[in-house]
Amino acid sequence: MTSGAAERLHPRERLLTTAERLFYERGIHTVGVEQLVAEAEVTRATFYRHFAGKEGLVLAYLRERDARVKRAVAAVRSAHRGRDAVLGIMDVVGRTVTRPGFRGCGFINAAAEYPDPDHPVRSCVAEHREWFRGVLREAAREAGHREPDRLARALVLLRDGAMVSGHLDGPRDAVAALRQAVLELLDAG
């Protein structure tokens, strides 16, 4: 972030933008508060005025990611129902995987750094996943799939695999395999 761009953003937004970049590029636990405040060009006092601590910033970072995914899915849902909605939502996953600088799913990455299932970060990740599964379940129901819950669970599994494969094996193959598997599941139901 350039100094001019940093000055135009509110300090809280600078902290979130910086956290988004650093947490995603380097991992949450490797980034300290000192690095965050230095790169966001805010004081330590400003950091603590907006966040109770680093964990508060981590949760805000995940909530921002959650809101971004929800906006993308809402755009698909406003234009499509049923089978087309399922395909459109999974295309959102495909576009994510092919984004420059893609390093896997921010939620999966965060969950890997917070192994305690009762930790607030893991709860935030679980809430996002349950919402996503629910959206897919509803679209599968609209598509007339005979087992919408089972399909939704399989689609989340495919999404997770595409996120990991897109980072480790390359996005083109991951997106092609994802699309083919989604079509096969839809056609089987």
Side-chain angles (χ1 to χ4, degrees):
M1 177 182 300
T2 66
S3 184
E7 290 170 7
R8 287 191 292 271
L9 291 176
H10 185 275
R12 184 179 193 284
E13 295 308 311
R14 287 201 313 263
L15 282 162
L16 273 171
T17 300
T18 302
E20 169 90 25
R21 179 177 52 80
L22 292 175
F23 290 165
Y24 190 70
E25 288 175 0
R26 299 181 187 165
I28 294 168
H29 289 313
T30 63
V31 177
V33 171
E34 289 304 317
Q35 183 178 12
L36 287 162
V37 298
E39 292 203 27
E41 299 176 13
V42 300
T43 66
R44 199 171 176 83
T46 298
F47 174 87
Y48 286 107
R49 185 173 32 249
H50 293 287
F51 302 100
K54 184 177 169 188
E55 185 176 296
L57 179 58
V58 172
L59 291 169
Y61 151 72
L62 290 172
R63 288 182 187 117
E64 181 57 35
R65 289 186 85 81
D66 175 68
R68 212 170 26 252
V69 173
K70 286 179 176 176
R71 286 190 299 270
V73 169
V76 171
R77 295 289 286 150
S78 70
H80 303 288
R81 290 286 177 250
R83 181 185 178 92
D84 289 340
V86 171
L87 292 170
I89 292 167
M90 298 311 277
D91 284 345
V92 168
V93 173
R95 286 192 302 276
T96 300
V97 168
T98 59
R99 190 180 69 232
F102 180 74
R103 296 177 53 85
C105 171
F107 293 100
I108 293 172
N109 296 348
E113 291 196 53
Y114 290 86
D116 178 0
D118 295 324
H119 192 280
V121 168
R122 286 292 295 274
S123 295
C124 186
V125 171
E127 288 169 17
H128 173 78
R129 292 174 64 76
E130 186 53 41
W131 163 81
F132 190 66
R133 191 172 13 262
V135 168
L136 290 169
R137 184 183 310 112
E138 181 60 27
R141 189 175 290 117
E142 293 168 359
H145 197 278
R146 68 179 180 267
E147 296 182 79
D149 188 61
R150 186 168 168 231
L151 176 60
R153 290 183 180 285
L155 292 172
V156 170
L157 185 67
L158 286 173
R159 174 230 174 256
D160 292 349
M163 290 286 183
V164 173
S165 180
H167 175 58
L168 297 177
D169 302 327
R172 285 194 176 92
D173 290 341
V175 170
L178 174 65
R179 179 90 174 160
Q180 184 61 42
V182 171
L183 287 169
E184 288 173 10
L185 285 172
L186 285 168
D187 290 343

